[in-house]
Amino acid sequence: MNEMKLISKRFGKINPLSIDEYIKFDGYKNLKKALSMEKIEIIDEVQKSYLRGRGGAGFPTSIKMMGLAKESNKEKFIICNADEGEPGNFKDRYLMENDPHQIIEGMIIVAFATGGTKGIIYVRGEYQKSISLLKWSIDEARKFGYLGKNILGSKFSFDIEVRSGAGSYVCGEEFALIESLEGKPGRTRVKPPFPTQSGINNKPTLINNVETFSTIPTIIEIGGANFSKIGTPSSTGTKLISLSGNVKHKGVFEIPFGVSIRDVIYELGGGIENDRKIKLVQLGGACGPIIPEYMLDMIIDFDRFEEFESKTGAGAIIVIDERFDIFTILLKVVRFFQHESCGKCTPCREGHIQLGNLIEKFIERKAMMQDIVSLESLARVIHQASLCGLGQTSPTAIISSLRYFRDDYIDRIEHPKRG
Amino acid sequence: MILKEILQKYPKKDDQLIEILLDYQSAKSNHYISKEEIIEIADYLGIPESKVCSVLSFYTFFSVKPRGKHIIQVCKDVPCYVSSNIDILKIIETELGILVNETTPNQQFTLEFTSCLGCCDVGPVMRINDKIYTHLTADKIKAILSEYRVNM
């Protein structure tokens, strides 16, 4: 099995600092093509492509675009969510560091199609290299007339600014991100209204992930219908996978949807270091399910992942071999969310502390059967009673581990620590 | 750089708060925002001090206590943990003679945890100021730290 490089085709082939090299490698030609199309035609192509958001939730991109296009406000914001903070994910960093102009081109095309007037790229504060590369690239694009007033001689004007996060995972959630851009703590808002109706400064706002914007030029180039033939019926196109953990070759790989997790780990990742056995694989990142080795033949697909009552996540695969204890891993996951919870919803703020305490009992071999019941019910309460994606997805690791690694839990109860 | 010079670069709009705090904190050698500075920033933007404080306490980048010249952050999440045979934190703690969340007596180093730095393919990693160090080993950590000590 090989990679299918559509949006990572320029990785390592061009100098990311050079706009000339980007232009020579098909850069900004899709913007020119888009500017010659009717706005509704562009949205139609995205609809035909059946592109779904690459940030984790998988929401159809064309619906967001349509939503923004029909708003009549004079000011409309296009925001690129580059607050990649999910442990195990680094594909957005690769996109920003290897092909920053592709993101910018995608944003300009979306802005043109939807009437967007101002663009913002919100990059997590930890990604200083990405921030300086993007700022440099935006200046270059402005010099070449791709950004600013009357882009390429058209009536369309649009500009982009880069803003930095300040160390907060939850700001990757769309309303938390908007609050942060307004200079406030990143705590989400109640939906509806959705950002396309009332986002930053209560103005219509479209927020997409870095990878989603990066895919737009390809859709304009090959057409929505052709794009939709790649992948599976429910998940079209390609996906960047961040592969990490105990594999031989870690890194970012681009694959068409429908490839099995086993193929990614063994064919692209070269298998496990020292040919050890796999203990568990976490999918999507800290917010994703934990699965055992025998489930690795499942394919990467939005619908397939719904059985975990969770989202696909942004495409991380974290491989953990037999040397590691599942409860130590789970404790790290839970403590991560405990730290990153914004504190607005009680189940999320207090629940993660208690989940951690319960997992510690299993680590110390002091747990009882009742603790399994408590873990399960607490995880479900956090999942159901939290306002934003953090609390809704954070218990997935616990819930899936209770399903697929129940024997590990029982073993700890049946073999308590003596004395 | 003094706070007034930094403030003048920004429009008096409350959405500039985080940018101002980031900019000023990194310009200061002890990387923190003092009580007096909170008042000055709030006055400049025309917002209550409580609003500045709520942002300072929410985001992990900010500190209201003096820190060292160099801030060392160690990733504590799963991908780095499973990529490592050594206890990165322990090695740095021993080397510097401080525990996590402490500052060396000579005000040169502060040691902190960080959430995932998005470098899971080259872990284990740590960040010193804005620079990320990858594929850490015990020897590499000692070499990196001594470089910072020489440049003191």
Side-chain angles (χ1 to χ4, degrees):
Chain A
M1 190 197 73
N2 289 317
E3 284 188 79
M4 182 174 190
K5 296 191 177 188
L6 296 181
I7 63 169
S8 61
K9 64 184 173 199
R10 293 188 197 89
F11 285 17
K13 300 261 167 66
I14 61 164
N15 172 4
L17 287 167
S18 162
I19 190 169
D20 287 323
E21 289 189 26
Y22 178 75
I23 293 168
K24 269 186 210 142
F25 202 145
D26 299 339
Y28 288 113
K29 75 165 195 198
N30 295 305
L31 171 63
K32 283 179 199 151
K33 184 174 172 188
L35 289 176
S36 71
M37 292 164 73
E38 292 294 323
K39 294 178 177 188
I40 189 70
E41 263 184 274
I42 298 172
I43 301 178
D44 269 352
E45 288 302 323
V46 177
Q47 190 181 6
K48 275 188 232 154
S49 77
Y50 205 58
L51 174 68
R52 296 172 68 167
R54 302 302 198 227
F59 191 78
T61 307
S62 64
I63 296 181
K64 277 193 196 174
M65 289 175 70
M66 204 68 98
L68 192 76
K70 71 173 187 223
E71 293 292 329
S72 54
N73 211 302
K74 259 194 234 155
E75 248 187 306
K76 295 194 223 176
F77 287 88
I78 305 291
I79 296 181
C80 174
N81 183 348
D83 191 50
E84 181 175 58
E86 186 74 49
N89 284 285
F90 40 94
K91 49 104 186 164
D92 291 343
R93 180 172 63 82
Y94 268 65
L95 283 167
M96 290 186 277
E97 289 180 4
N98 288 294
D99 202 356
H101 284 289
Q102 183 173 234
I103 305 164
I104 296 167
E105 186 174 3
M107 286 179 77
I108 305 170
I109 294 170
V110 170
F112 174 69
T114 58
T117 53
K118 181 161 175 40
I120 300 172
I121 308 179
Y122 182 92
V123 190
R124 65 184 305 214
E126 288 85 348
Y127 284 1
Q128 286 300 320
K129 190 176 168 193
S130 302
I131 290 175
S132 44
L133 248 168
L134 284 169
K135 283 184 174 167
W136 166 266
S137 305
I138 287 168
D139 282 345
E140 292 280 288
R142 215 177 275 135
K143 278 183 213 154
F144 278 69
Y146 298 119
L147 280 174
K149 281 218 159 86
N150 304 105
I151 292 171
L152 297 176
S154 69
K155 282 183 189 155
F156 168 61
S157 301
F158 179 70
D159 214 332
I160 300 175
E161 139 186 48
V162 178
R163 295 279 294 267
S164 167
S168 167
Y169 163 83
V170 75
C171 287
E173 195 276 337
E174 53 186 8
F175 267 127
L177 190 156
I178 287 169
E179 290 281 311
S180 180
L181 282 174
E182 292 179 358
K184 294 183 270 190
R187 294 201 178 89
T188 193
R189 298 178 192 167
V190 179
K191 295 178 215 178
F194 293 97
T196 45
Q197 300 158 311
S198 179
I200 184 163
N201 302 328
N202 298 319
K203 302 274 166 41
T205 304
L206 180 144
I207 305 182
N208 279 331
N209 175 259
V210 175
E211 188 181 347
T212 313
F213 280 121
S214 298
T215 308
I216 297 289
T218 298
I219 290 173
I220 298 299
E221 182 174 357
I222 66 174
N226 282 329
F227 185 88
S228 73
K229 287 178 196 149
I230 305 163
T232 69
S234 73
S235 313
T236 57
T238 56
K239 182 82 197 74
L240 291 183
I241 301 292
S242 311
L243 181 62
S244 69
N246 305 124
V247 288
K248 283 177 188 156
H249 314 301
K250 302 170 204 186
V252 170
F253 301 98
E254 185 173 2
I255 49 139
F257 276 100
V259 166
S260 78
I261 292 163
R262 190 182 301 279
D263 281 352
V264 174
I265 295 175
Y266 285 92
E267 298 203 18
L268 298 175
I272 313 303
E273 290 164 338
N274 299 316
D275 297 318
R276 292 192 185 94
K277 282 193 186 125
I278 291 178
K279 171 68 185 176
L280 59 96
V281 173
Q282 190 168 25
L283 306 173
C287 70
I290 280 175
I291 60 165
E293 206 272 342
Y294 68 81
M295 285 181 73
L296 294 185
D297 290 314
M298 67 178 280
I299 58 166
I300 296 165
D301 177 273
F302 286 108
D303 284 4
R304 180 70 181 80
F305 277 58
E306 269 171 18
E307 78 168 63
F308 300 112
E309 301 167 58
S310 181
K311 310 286 187 187
T312 326
I317 296 180
I318 309 166
V319 182
I320 298 165
D321 73 32
E322 56 191 342
R323 294 169 300 159
F324 295 95
D325 171 36
I326 183 169
F327 296 103
T328 312
I329 303 292
L330 286 171
L331 186 64
K332 282 191 173 288
V333 169
V334 170
R335 292 287 187 233
F336 170 77
F337 289 114
Q338 178 185 328
H339 178 255
E340 298 294 350
S341 170
C342 83
K344 184 165 181 153
C345 308
T346 311
C348 177
R349 183 184 65 239
E350 305 297 329
H352 288 113
I353 302 171
Q354 300 308 326
L355 282 181
N357 293 345
L358 285 164
I359 294 293
E360 275 182 339
K361 287 171 89 172
F362 285 91
I363 291 177
E364 293 163 5
R365 295 182 182 269
K366 287 178 183 165
M368 294 177 292
M369 279 311 275
Q370 178 57 36
D371 292 320
I372 295 188
V373 181
S374 303
L375 257 182
E376 181 126 41
S377 73
L378 182 53
R380 294 216 171 270
V381 168
I382 299 172
H383 170 65
Q384 283 167 17
S386 299
L387 207 51
C388 87
L390 190 151
Q392 288 164 9
T393 58
S394 62
T396 309
I398 298 281
I399 293 171
S400 57
S401 74
L402 284 162
R403 202 195 297 180
Y404 303 116
F405 294 89
R406 210 168 185 90
D407 291 349
D408 290 70
Y409 283 92
I410 303 288
D411 179 73
R412 292 291 161 105
I413 295 167
E414 285 180 349
H415 300 92
K417 193 177 173 187
R418 294 181 202 283
Chain B
M1 199 187 268
I2 52 166
L3 180 53
K4 277 195 180 56
E5 287 173 37
I6 299 242
L7 286 174
Q8 276 164 8
K9 288 180 3 198
Y10 294 89
K12 289 189 178 191
K13 278 166 66 186
D14 53 2
D15 67 355
Q16 299 296 309
L17 177 60
I18 294 172
E19 301 283 322
I20 291 171
L21 293 171
L22 282 172
D23 196 353
Y24 183 54
Q25 191 181 257
S26 73
K28 264 180 93 171
S29 66
N30 48 5
H31 307 298
Y32 87 110
I33 309 287
S34 73
K35 252 187 200 167
E36 295 72 33
E37 288 158 355
I38 291 172
I39 297 170
E40 200 176 334
I41 294 166
D43 276 353
Y44 180 80
L45 293 174
I47 55 174
E49 290 150 39
S50 61
K51 226 178 151 178
V52 182
C53 293
S54 71
V55 165
L56 285 175
S57 65
F58 184 85
Y59 294 94
T60 48
F61 274 20
F62 299 127
S63 175
V64 290
K65 278 189 268 176
R67 290 187 285 181
K69 188 176 164 197
H70 305 297
I71 296 170
I72 305 174
Q73 294 183 316
V74 179
C75 174
K76 61 171 191 275
D77 288 315
V78 171
C80 269
Y81 167 69
V82 300
S83 307
S84 174
N85 297 317
I86 49 169
D87 189 340
I88 306 288
L89 190 74
K90 255 275 151 54
I91 294 167
I92 304 175
E93 283 181 338
T94 313
E95 196 64 19
L96 295 178
I98 53 168
L99 297 175
V100 67
N101 293 324
E102 290 182 350
T103 299
T104 52
N106 64 2
Q107 313 294 319
Q108 287 298 307
F109 297 100
T110 295
L111 180 58
E112 296 175 351
F113 273 128
T114 175
S115 290
C116 181
L117 291 170
C119 299
C120 319
D121 52 338
V122 288
V125 300
M126 67 173 175
R127 193 162 88 111
I128 303 185
N129 308 328
D130 281 342
K131 199 160 180 223
I132 289 173
Y133 294 90
T134 61
H135 298 294
L136 294 177
T137 61
D139 288 343
K140 205 167 166 186
I141 293 170
K142 284 173 197 165
I144 294 163
L145 290 179
S146 63
E147 232 173 86
Y148 279 88
R149 282 193 179 116
V150 170
N151 296 329
M152 256 172 2

